[in-house]
Amino acid sequence: MSRPADNQALYQTLFRTLRIKESTMDEINSAIADSFIDLTAGMRYPMRNYLDLKKISTILRPFPRMSQFLQTVRIPYNKDERSQFISALHHPKSYLCGINLADDKLISTAVLLRNHTEVGQRFTTEFSDWRHNNKDKIRPFGFVTPHCFIAQAKLAKEQDEPSGSMIEAAAAIKKYLSKYADAFTKLFASKQFVHVYLEQGMDEMEFTEAESNVNDLISEYTEYSGNYYSDGEGEGELDTED
């Protein structure tokens, strides 16, 4: 299980979503740490619909190799502004890496809430309604209805601010992987910095194997998202040749 993050996207995320005009590395590291805290909250606090790392890696991916997840930063939650909160969760500038869900198919979602009281069924309904009304931003895999798992942990202290984040499995990550795979291929072809790693005991074959594994993963995402079509309601059929 892995979650990509990059500094360039995080600067934009902190500026647009968290309204931090001039973010520092401490604030970027804090945003990443908060996202880890949300992921593991169920291990430390009472949680409705208990969610841990094992359950995330099990219920959010339909295929074993698709273990790369996209996560948003922690976003303040206000029960009187649920629609704005849900919209902020889905905004491309809310993710730890430069991703737009509209670029490709969505597989599954888990919303991680931290609140003083239970949000109840109303939040689930509004979340589903938002996605239904914004189908242009959410493109489901054709062969599976996007699974949405909403978990909530109770805040330990009364003065803690309610918040939430979202983690998803989506084929849009292949665009992100391709970007850095291409950059790696260019660097490796010119042998830039390779000697530094060889001096530390690595073998040059390890670079070749890593490049091959990433390219295989990109091909797998492309294959699954391309061989299926969506009928617009989140359920589709296998696209077979005659």
Side-chain angles (χ1 to χ4, degrees):
M1 175 180 173
S2 61
R3 306 171 317 145
D6 67 72
N7 288 342
Q8 182 179 4
L10 281 166
Y11 276 115
Q12 297 177 11
T13 296
L14 266 61
F15 177 78
R16 188 268 170 196
T17 305
L18 302 183
R19 308 299 182 187
I20 300 176
K21 293 184 178 180
E22 297 182 3
S23 54
T24 64
M25 288 305 300
D26 286 342
E27 288 165 329
I28 288 178
N29 290 334
S30 178
I32 296 175
D34 287 343
S35 67
F36 271 112
I37 291 172
D38 287 347
L39 274 179
T40 58
M43 303 177 185
R44 300 186 303 277
Y45 308 113
M47 175 172 273
R48 179 174 173 267
N49 291 335
Y50 177 72
L51 192 68
D52 60 11
L53 296 180
K54 182 178 180 180
K55 184 173 288 188
I56 288 174
S57 63
T58 301
I59 67 174
L60 293 188
R61 57 177 182 169
F63 305 104
R65 280 172 59 88
M66 292 185 174
S67 56
Q68 292 70 38
F69 298 101
L70 308 172
Q71 188 174 2
T72 68
V73 294
R74 178 185 290 175
I75 299 173
Y77 171 73
N78 186 327
K79 66 179 181 179
D80 297 324
E81 299 177 350
R82 290 192 186 91
S83 180
Q84 293 90 324
F85 171 74
I86 294 171
S87 180
L89 284 177
H90 290 87
H91 197 282
K93 298 301 183 185
S94 294
Y95 288 88
L96 297 176
C97 60
I99 289 290
N100 188 345
L101 290 180
D103 288 341
D104 216 308
K105 307 294 181 62
L106 174 67
I107 303 172
S108 52
T109 300
V111 179
L112 313 168
L113 294 173
R114 306 184 73 208
N115 199 16
H116 297 293
T117 58
E118 288 193 9
V119 295
Q121 184 62 32
R122 185 173 179 181
F123 178 86
T124 305
T125 301
E126 290 187 17
F127 189 89
S128 300
D129 290 344
W130 189 95
R131 287 200 159 180
H132 180 76
N133 296 328
N134 293 271
K135 291 181 180 179
D136 57 322
K137 301 177 182 178
I138 305 296
R139 299 173 56 197
F141 258 75
F143 63 97
V144 61
T145 301
H147 180 63
C148 182
F149 192 93
I150 297 178
Q152 179 182 338
K154 188 174 182 179
L155 289 169
K157 300 178 181 178
E158 190 64 31
Q159 62 268 30
D160 290 342
E161 293 294 330
S163 61
S165 62
M166 186 166 65
I167 184 168
E168 298 175 302
I173 198 174
K174 72 183 180 184
K175 185 176 181 179
Y176 180 85
L177 294 173
S178 297
K179 173 184 174 181
Y180 287 95
D182 291 343
F184 170 81
T185 299
K186 292 177 182 178
L187 285 173
F188 186 58
S190 59
K191 304 298 181 183
Q192 294 187 45
F193 308 111
V194 172
H195 66 281
V196 177
Y197 296 95
L198 296 180
E199 290 173 358
Q200 299 299 319
M202 288 186 66
D203 189 276
E204 195 166 321
M205 184 60 67
E206 294 181 66
F207 292 97
T208 305
E209 292 177 357
E211 182 181 22
S212 177
N213 288 336
V214 172
N215 288 333
D216 288 345
L217 186 60
I218 294 171
S219 298
E220 192 164 341
Y221 275 109
T222 302
E223 176 186 357
Y224 285 122
S225 62
N227 286 345
Y228 295 84
Y229 68 87
S230 173
D231 64 2
E233 297 297 331
E235 296 179 354
E237 300 175 9
L238 179 62
D239 186 10
T240 58
E241 297 181 358
D242 293 335

